[in-house]
Amino acid sequence: MSADRATALRGLPSVDQLLRRLAERAELHGITRARVTALVREALEQERKRVLEEHAVPAGVETLVTRVVERVRRAGVFSLRPVINAQGVVLHTNLGRALVSPLALERLAAVAVAYSNLELDLASKERGSRYSHVEPLLQRLTGAEDALVVNNNAAAVLLALETLAHGKEVIVSRGELIEIGGEFRIPDIMLRSGAVLREVGATNRTHLRDYADAITPDTALLLKVHTSNYRVVGFTAEVSSRELVGLGRERGVPVMEDLGSGSLIDLRPWGFPYEPTVQETVAAGVDVVSFSGDKLLGGPQAGIVVGRRAVVSRLKKNPWNRALRIDKFTIAALEATLYAYEAGTALEAIPTLRLLTEPLARVRSRARAVLRRLAPATRARLKARVVDDHAQVGGGALPTVALPTAAVAIGDGGTEAMGLDARLRAGDPPVVGRIVDDRLLLDCRTVLPHQVAILARALSAAVEPDRA
Ligand SMILES: *Cc1c(COP(=O)(O)O)cnc(C)c1O
């Protein structure tokens, strides 16, 4: 280091100096001292770099204090916090997937702050099962003999394969060897479960005889996997659940189906393509059916397994089940979610279903309401207007569906949209939109009604820095 740089560095304030000044700032109330200290060190480190590498004149106490306060203002007290989903992806894995219903939240809160009968049979005072709170509901809703719930669907698949096929062969179509993202690949899960993958058919076509020819005394399971996040189109053929069950019965091999999203409602009346429901899959005779709690079902994160008692009971006894078990919050929220299906109120009560089936006119009026709340000058500056576009279901469900939607479109090309997008993400609450053709689109299908005013305020605030 040159002598002049060393001298320049000595011009930087000390950690203590900055902490003393920051102690006077009201904006930092609620932020722990340890966190403020860490932020101060970070700010000083950045400044040190600037002085050494860019030969900058060191910033003074006031500038550094302002930077730290600004960082805290943007990041807030807590790391995990609500954001406004203006991306138009209803089941957005990075944004927390399914939103739970108010009733689910109420039940969750009730058992979170008080003791509960989680594993106590109140009638006999004997030890009960945590699954008893959701099993009967799942049996009635799906028609299955037995049910089990684990941490997520990936865990459900792992548990089923480990229980039924460890050291044995599992036959899967080449067209269904999916990767879901987030490290979930059917071949990898299979390897970890100790099952041996036996691929059959071709990527685009698999026939019943392909499965039949592959069955040996080592075959433990016929597995069908929903190709959640992609579609093979054109010259294709796949074997139906019913056909596979027929073969399985004939040869004495159980059949499993990983439905991925797994819907309890046929969504065709709302313009969605046909997807076999969980009930239909169970009725087809599939021995084990697994699906997620927080995809189309619209509940908490969970992996739900339903099927024949003789098979599901084996999963329950596997020690892995204990390692993958769900907590009381999940059970409470799941029970409330399933209750809405049984009560026939799912379409209004469950946010995921409401967002998916909401008529375009209502989404459009939400977009217009955002626009109306902007000051005329802001609206003109942003060149903001309402446009029609397409949103997505997300969560690896119904990948080819283009949901009609309306968005507030900002800018008419150029880098302006990028800057605004970054400022909106840095705001409080953060807003996550999507950039299309150099325009920023704030998709209102996934903006909740109570967020309209908040979104308009966030937009106005994000424009402010440019006014100066
Ligand atoms: C999403 C998905 C999974 C993983 O489910 P998680 O609940 O996210 O663990 C597994 N299989 C299929 C087919 C899926 O679509």
Side-chain angles (χ1 to χ4, degrees), residues 97 152-154 178 180 184 225-226 228 258 260 292 294-295 302:
R97 263 202 212 160
N152 56 12
N153 190 26
I178 56 162
I180 296 296
F184 182 88
V225 184
H226 194 289
S228 302
D258 170 9
S292 292
D294 58 345
K295 288 186 181 173

Side-chain angles (χ1 to χ4, degrees), residues 415-452:
T415 54
E416 191 183 1
M418 303 289 214
L420 191 66
D421 177 47
R423 283 200 297 282
L424 280 170
R425 274 183 286 112
D428 184 29
V431 176
V432 187
R434 64 169 184 269
I435 301 274
V436 181
D437 297 333
D438 292 327
R439 279 189 316 176
L440 176 63
L441 295 190
L442 301 174
D443 193 318
C444 287
R445 180 161 290 276
T446 46
V447 172
L448 307 172
H450 77 271
Q451 293 175 329
V452 164

Side-chain angles (χ1 to χ4, degrees), residues 20-326:
R20 269 197 303 277
R21 280 302 257 285
L22 283 161
E24 299 155 14
R25 301 290 293 251
E27 297 96 322
L28 300 196
H29 283 161
I31 311 286
T32 63
R33 191 177 157 84
R35 174 124 181 264
V36 177
T37 308
L39 287 170
V40 162
R41 288 192 202 284
E42 219 172 87
L44 280 172
E45 193 45 48
Q46 263 176 14
E47 196 54 19
R48 209 168 278 131
K49 256 212 181 105
R50 255 173 33 89
V51 170
L52 289 177
E53 290 165 15
E54 298 167 28
H55 288 232
V57 177
V61 175
E62 286 320 312
T63 309
L64 288 167
V65 162
T66 308
R67 272 185 214 163
V68 171
V69 169
E70 183 56 18
R71 279 285 302 278
V72 170
R73 197 187 60 76
R74 285 181 171 187
V77 178
F78 296 105
S79 171
L80 180 61
R81 61 214 162 110
V83 309
I84 294 183
N85 175 2
Q87 270 199 325
V89 180
V90 176
L91 292 168
H92 197 308
T93 300
N94 303 144
L95 300 182
R97 263 202 212 160
L99 311 179
V100 299
S101 66
L103 181 63
L105 176 64
E106 185 192 306
R107 300 311 307 155
L108 190 160
V111 301
V113 298
Y115 293 104
S116 63
N117 60 337
L118 181 66
E119 288 188 352
L120 183 76
D121 178 39
L122 292 170
S124 65
K125 215 178 178 184
E126 310 250 303
R127 178 165 182 180
S129 153
R130 62 180 57 213
Y131 308 108
S132 69
H133 307 291
V134 288
E135 255 174 34
L137 270 163
L138 282 167
Q139 287 165 337
R140 292 197 297 270
L141 286 166
T142 67
E145 290 173 6
D146 205 354
L148 169 70
V149 186
V150 288
N151 182 58
N152 56 12
N153 190 26
V157 175
L158 180 66
L159 178 65
L161 292 174
E162 212 283 331
T163 310
L164 305 172
H166 188 97
K168 297 264 203 138
E169 286 187 2
V170 177
I171 303 178
V172 193
S173 159
R174 286 205 169 83
E176 298 173 357
L177 293 173
I178 56 162
E179 173 180 314
I180 296 296
E183 313 303 322
F184 182 88
R185 277 183 175 173
I186 286 292
D188 297 344
I189 290 267
M190 198 90 73
L191 194 69
R192 289 296 165 141
S193 71
V196 178
L197 173 65
R198 186 81 171 74
E199 301 171 34
V200 295
T203 305
N204 58 332
R205 289 173 74 83
T206 301
H207 307 281
L208 192 61
R209 64 170 183 276
D210 295 323
Y211 290 92
D213 291 349
I215 295 177
T216 72
D218 265 347
T219 307
L221 192 67
L222 303 179
L223 174 65
K224 193 168 163 56
V225 184
H226 194 289
T227 57
S228 302
N229 49 8
Y230 74 102
R231 286 287 175 272
V232 180
V233 295
F235 185 55
T236 64
E238 67 172 308
V239 175
S240 73
S241 312
R242 205 170 278 281
E243 288 174 287
L244 212 53
V245 167
L247 176 66
R249 292 277 154 81
E250 193 188 306
R251 308 285 291 269
V253 182
V255 176
M256 170 170 179
E257 184 156 350
D258 170 9
L259 276 179
S261 209
S263 180
L264 290 176
I265 290 181
D266 179 359
L267 291 168
R268 274 178 295 182
W270 291 272
F272 292 89
Y274 173 68
E275 284 279 335
T277 59
V278 178
Q279 307 85 290
E280 285 167 337
T281 309
V282 169
V286 177
D287 299 279
V288 197
V289 182
S290 80
F291 55 101
S292 292
D294 58 345
K295 288 186 181 173
L296 282 178
L297 191 79
Q301 179 189 306
I304 301 169
V305 180
V306 296
R308 296 210 312 174
R309 177 151 303 133
V311 183
V312 177
S313 63
R314 286 175 62 196
L315 268 60
K316 287 183 175 171
K317 289 190 206 111
N318 187 331
W320 269 105
N321 182 30
R322 170 58 199 262
L324 305 170
R325 84 176 182 186
I326 43 168

